[in-house]
Amino acid sequence: MAVTAGAATAPGAAAQQRNCIDVLAGMSEFSRFVNGVIRARAVADFRNANSITIFAPTNDALSGGARSVLVDRLFPLVDGNREADPVLAPAAFQAHVIQGRHDAAALSQNGSLTTAAGTQLRHSAANGVVTLTAQGDTSARVTRADIACSNGVIHAIDAPLIR
């Protein structure tokens, strides 16, 4: 399944015309996340959703030990090839999606949201930094907020929200 990617753009008018997955695909810092969404066959879920917030781990967030654990769990070796686990892989990416547009101002207020995977995600802010905490006390910080897209908003995070 291919993702149409235009030139990388900063948040703004051009990004507003493209849906969230296409905006992410146009930004090299999210290539690992986008490749995982593609391999999990979840592109349509991101492309067709209305009014969503995506907490997208950057490539740096998906490197090293976190990457190997996630790859092994979500895309296990089957007959020498990595295949997407049909249940875990899509659910892992849905754990990074919230229904509704939640901008940085909304996230700066302490609260809780439910992900598309059905898990609770707490958000809080201190010294201008928004922190997200998922089940099992997995946490991530928003490193870049309010990346606009036609069907929602994206926030870059420094760690995946699953372990």
Side-chain angles (χ1 to χ4, degrees):
M1 183 177 297
V3 174
T4 304
T9 59
Q16 287 289 350
Q17 302 305 312
R18 297 183 310 159
N19 64 61
C20 290
I21 195 66
D22 290 341
V23 169
L24 286 167
M27 302 174 76
S28 62
E29 69 202 85
F30 298 110
S31 63
R32 287 182 177 158
F33 183 75
V34 171
N35 287 336
V37 171
I38 292 167
R39 291 178 66 195
R41 295 183 174 93
V43 170
D45 295 338
F46 283 71
R47 182 171 282 140
N48 299 328
N50 289 314
S51 188
I52 58 173
T53 300
I54 298 175
F55 297 105
T58 63
N59 289 348
D60 288 343
L62 295 174
S63 64
R67 180 175 185 234
S68 63
V69 168
L70 292 176
V71 167
D72 290 343
R73 186 180 302 155
L74 303 179
F75 305 101
L77 280 173
V78 176
D79 296 327
N81 296 312
R82 293 237 178 243
E83 300 286 335
D85 182 291
V87 175
L88 292 179
F93 292 99
Q94 293 298 329
H96 292 82
V97 178
I98 305 292
Q99 194 61 31
R101 292 177 191 249
H102 301 277
D103 62 12
L107 295 174
S108 68
Q109 305 299 315
N110 292 350
S112 180
L113 300 165
T114 302
T115 69
T119 57
Q120 288 298 306
L121 183 63
R122 294 185 315 272
H123 56 91
S124 60
N127 300 319
V129 176
V130 173
T131 301
L132 307 167
T133 306
Q135 289 181 329
D137 291 329
T138 300
S139 66
R141 290 176 296 146
V142 173
T143 58
R144 183 173 169 196
D146 297 335
I147 302 168
C149 48
S150 63
N151 62 335
V153 63
I154 302 163
H155 303 290
I157 57 175
D158 67 354
L161 295 172
I162 58 168
R163 298 265 189 245

